[in-house]
Amino acid sequence: MKLFRRIILITFLCTLLISAKDSEQGKIYLKNWHMKSSLLVKDAEAAISTGKYNTEGWYKAQVPITVLNTLIRNGVYPNPRLDLNDFLIPDVSDEFNKKYDLAKYSYLPDHKNPWKDPYWFTTEFTIPKEETGKIVWLNFNGINYRADVWVNGKKVADSSTMAGMFQRFKYNITDYVNRNGNNYVAVKIYQLDHPGNPNPGIQKEVLGDNRKFTDDVFKDVTLKISGGWDCAPVVRDRNIGIYQDVYVSFTNEVDIVNPYIVTHLPVPDTTSADITISAQLVNVSNKTQKGILKGKIDLINEVDFVTYTKKMPGKMESVTFEKEVEVNPGDTVNVIFTSKDFPQLTIKNPYLWWPNGYGQQYLHNLELSYVLDNKLSSKKDVEFGIRELSSDLKELNGEYGRVFYINGRKVFCKGGWLQPDILLDMDKKRFYDEARLLANANVNLIANEDQPAPREDYMEAADKYGLMQWAVFYQCFTAAPGKETQHNPLDHNLSIKNSRDILLRYRNYPSVILYVAAVEVTPDEDIYTRLRSSIKEL
């Protein structure tokens, strides 16, 4: 009987742990989905996001995930990382399939190409009682490449605007949700605009002097390596899917967005630091809202690398500040706190963030909350580091190199670049394990030549192990002055929109030290000029 009770207790605890992973304060993560090719779904689009729709026979999908990886996990296709399994999976290019006789491996009726038509993803959620009456938001941290979104039979997003691999999307679904029962979400994921034909598409022909790529992929705002590289195989579906988290969040009438922390040290003096904090308040109601934006900074916060949790190496100190802010209906107000107006934002003897090998990676937490009539409207937590970054150019025999200084100290940069798993199949443990191994190897700088907008887990791992980040926006390897491909990606407005969201999303991470428009080529002048302007603005 005791053994039976222990089994029940263990099962109960495991259930609690699983539930905790799927939600956190003010958020519900949507992880359990079902997926099916739109070729096999004949029902009306609106009907798919209703409780009456039956997803029996659909493939289970654990988001974040790509379409191909879903099929691999369900046993439809083998793991393309192993052996020659990549040639047991058809490609999105019919020309390539014909050349290597891959069409016969299509799992669809009549061996139709499995990647050209959209895929449906469906899931459901309920609203917790404590969130009753609040504004409800549906958030996507990353999709590839376009999507339509339906909630309870109502279309809330369209593929003409929900596009690009490197930006987040947030939709107010308050008017569509059921607060007393299940809510149903359906997402229709579309293939790239230009998935291209792998050329040559097999590794032995790519190496050496014949370094060719799937040129068409460069026309889109997507992961170029998916079309094949000299150091990576072609990804047959081009990594379409919901490759980052989806979650439902809740606020009251005013939401806090885009918090930003800037720290300044009067180097070489590091005995004080001035902190400037800004954020935008968005009023989604039809009434003027007058409340108080409150801030609190926890000043001492070291990392426990074993458990990935926080420990305090001494007495915890906090700094608080607040300001009354009025926001008109439908308006967005930018609020700034400076050390000039709030002297407590001048921090004496601060715990600093250092690169790997130069000191500790102390991190601090900023909590921002907007309070209306003594009721919390919205809250944001942001982890940041106090550090001063500068750089200059050094000349030696007519050659120039950039030298970086962190907190006034010249840093010898050691490292290289990382490329993502070919199926984008990464989790928090893997990010932390890789960061730990790199730090133990004395690496302190990581570049990404062709990286999707990384998950927050990756950036947090980089911060906590002191791995400086060299962020590249456009890997357009084929772009060069005078070439037709110089203007890639073709949709400059979409490209800049994605890049601006990258800046807003990652600018608080102290490990980010360098933004690069492109590597190995000269980027299009229009894109380059607009990117520089966005960096200065944001």
Side-chain angles (χ1 to χ4, degrees):
M1 188 64 181
K2 287 183 178 180
L3 177 61
F4 180 68
R5 284 200 295 267
R6 285 174 185 166
I7 292 172
I8 291 176
L9 178 61
I10 291 170
T11 303
F12 176 68
L13 289 173
C14 288
T15 302
L16 285 179
L17 289 170
I18 292 169
S19 299
K21 289 181 180 179
D22 290 345
S23 65
E24 59 186 55
Q25 185 176 10
K27 290 182 181 180
I28 301 172
Y29 283 89
L30 306 182
K31 294 184 176 295
N32 299 309
W33 296 65
H34 288 86
M35 185 198 82
K36 197 165 190 176
S37 168
S38 62
L39 280 173
L40 304 176
V41 179
K42 306 303 180 183
D43 305 88
E45 291 181 323
I48 297 172
S49 63
T50 65
K52 298 177 182 178
Y53 193 81
N54 184 4
T55 57
E56 186 177 349
W58 288 42
Y59 296 109
K60 291 183 179 180
Q62 279 289 115
V63 168
I65 201 166
T66 65
V67 171
L68 175 56
N69 202 15
T70 300
L71 295 174
I72 291 168
R73 292 187 183 186
N74 282 275
V76 177
Y77 288 120
N79 186 343
R81 305 178 188 89
L82 306 176
D83 200 39
L84 293 177
N85 287 347
D86 203 32
F87 282 85
L88 298 175
I89 307 171
D91 193 81
V92 67
S93 167
D94 289 330
E95 182 180 342
F96 189 82
N97 291 337
K98 184 177 180 180
K99 182 178 179 180
Y100 292 100
D101 193 25
L102 300 184
K104 64 186 179 184
Y105 297 114
S106 172
Y107 77 98
L108 294 176
D110 302 321
H111 297 305
K112 290 183 179 179
N113 193 307
W115 317 125
K116 286 191 171 183
D117 293 277
Y119 272 79
W120 281 106
F121 286 79
T122 66
T123 191
E124 59 187 81
F125 68 93
T126 57
I127 297 177
K129 289 183 179 179
E130 61 268 23
E131 309 295 357
T132 300
K134 292 187 177 181
I135 308 296
V136 186
W137 304 90
L138 180 59
N139 304 264
F140 294 83
N141 277 355
I143 59 102
N144 191 31
Y145 181 65
R146 295 182 181 273
D148 298 326
V149 179
W150 300 74
V151 175
N152 294 334
K154 304 293 184 181
K155 194 172 187 179
V156 300
D158 186 87
S159 58
S160 63
T161 55
M162 190 174 180
M165 193 177 184
F166 309 134
Q167 67 173 320
R168 298 162 298 175
F169 302 92
K170 183 176 181 178
Y171 302 107
N172 186 339
I173 59 171
T174 307
D175 294 340
Y176 309 125
V177 296
N178 175 14
R179 298 185 182 275
N180 299 311
N182 288 349
N183 292 277
Y184 302 90
V185 180
V187 181
K188 194 176 187 179
I189 293 290
Y190 291 81
Q191 180 55 257
L192 309 185
D193 295 345
H194 304 92
N197 176 45
N199 179 25
I202 61 174
Q203 294 308 105
K204 71 174 184 177
E205 296 179 14
V206 172
L207 302 176
D209 296 330
N210 192 28
R211 295 178 68 208
K212 294 182 179 180
F213 308 93
T214 309
D215 293 346
D216 278 356
V217 172
F218 291 86
K219 297 176 181 178
D220 293 337
V221 186
T222 190
L223 184 62
K224 315 304 182 297
I225 199 172
S226 300
W229 219 248
D230 52 4
C231 49
V234 178
V235 183
R236 298 301 178 207
D237 71 337
R238 306 297 187 268
N239 276 318
I240 60 171
I242 307 176
Y243 80 100
Q244 291 204 22
D245 287 329
V246 182
Y247 61 93
V248 177
S249 59
F250 306 90
T251 68
N252 283 310
E253 293 85 352
V254 177
D255 192 16
I256 302 171
V257 299
N258 301 325
Y260 186 28
I261 305 120
V262 177
T263 64
H264 175 65
L265 297 165
V267 292
D269 181 9
T270 60
T271 60
S272 70
D274 291 321
I275 298 180
T276 299
I277 294 165
S278 63
Q280 293 175 315
L281 298 178
V282 181
N283 183 357
V284 297
S285 75
N286 56 9
K287 296 180 181 179
T288 297
Q289 303 292 340
K290 190 174 184 179
I292 300 173
L293 181 60
K294 299 182 177 183
K296 183 176 110 171
I297 298 176
D298 296 331
L299 280 177
I300 304 179
N301 179 358
E302 192 180 357
V303 179
D304 181 341
F305 295 116
V306 177
T307 62
Y308 313 146
T309 57
K310 303 167 186 177
K311 63 180 181 181
M312 305 304 171
K315 185 179 179 181
M316 173 81 133
E317 299 178 19
S318 294
V319 169
T320 60
F321 47 94
E322 62 182 52
K323 182 186 290 188
E324 190 173 74
V325 184
E326 183 175 289
V327 192
N328 290 327
D331 274 3
T332 298
V333 173
N334 193 51
V335 185
I336 301 176
F337 298 91
T338 67
S339 57
K340 180 180 178 181
D341 298 325
F342 297 87
Q344 63 267 42
L345 292 179
T346 295
I347 311 302
K348 299 300 182 183
N349 301 312
Y351 284 76
L352 304 180
W353 184 92
W354 290 94
N356 183 36
Y358 285 80
Q360 295 297 313
Q361 291 76 48
Y362 288 108
L363 296 167
H364 316 281
N365 188 71
L366 165 68
E367 178 188 290
L368 286 175
S369 56
Y370 189 68
V371 179
L372 290 167
D373 299 325
N374 295 317
K375 181 179 69 173
L376 180 66
S377 178
S378 179
K379 184 169 83 74
K380 290 288 187 296
D381 284 281
V382 184
E383 199 170 59
F384 70 99
I386 298 175
R387 63 102 170 99
E388 182 72 15
L389 167 68
S390 62
S391 72
D392 59 29
L393 287 175
K394 293 292 184 180
E395 184 267 338
L396 179 64
N397 299 326
E399 299 290 339
Y400 290 84
R402 187 165 293 279
V403 179
F404 291 93
Y405 301 84
I406 305 292
N407 304 328
R409 184 176 177 185
K410 184 162 63 174
V411 174
F412 180 56
C413 298
K414 298 170 289 184
W417 65 62
L418 288 179
Q419 289 176 169
D421 177 89
I422 63 168
L423 298 177
L424 310 183
D425 196 5
M426 307 281 282
D427 59 20
K428 182 173 183 176
K429 183 179 184 304
R430 179 167 170 179
F431 286 133
Y432 272 81
D433 286 345
E434 289 192 358
R436 171 175 47 80
L437 291 169
L438 289 165
N440 287 345
N442 295 318
V443 167
N444 62 17
L445 175 66
I446 298 295
N448 60 74
E449 182 187 24
D450 186 40
Q451 177 88 327
R455 283 170 44 181
E456 277 68 16
D457 293 340
Y458 170 85
M459 299 301 297
E460 290 167 6
D463 281 355
K464 292 172 182 178
Y465 282 98
L467 302 175
M468 298 178 290
Q469 296 295 300
W470 169 315
V472 178
F473 286 87
Y474 312 110
Q475 171 46 290
C476 294
F477 189 88
T478 57
K483 285 190 174 183
E484 181 184 349
T485 56
Q486 184 187 354
H487 305 293
N488 290 339
L490 295 180
D491 189 338
H492 290 189
N493 290 332
L494 178 61
S495 181
I496 292 299
K497 196 173 182 181
N498 276 244
S499 297
R500 288 177 66 87
D501 195 59
I502 288 175
L503 292 167
L504 291 170
R505 186 173 180 179
Y506 305 117
R507 60 185 180 175
N508 290 315
Y509 292 98
S511 54
V512 177
I513 67 163
L514 183 64
Y515 292 125
V516 178
V519 295
E520 301 184 10
V521 291
T522 302
D524 179 88
E525 184 177 357
D526 175 55
I527 289 179
Y528 177 75
T529 302
R530 292 165 69 180
L531 176 63
R532 279 187 65 92
S533 176
S534 295
I535 291 173
K536 289 181 179 180
E537 175 196 347
L538 301 178

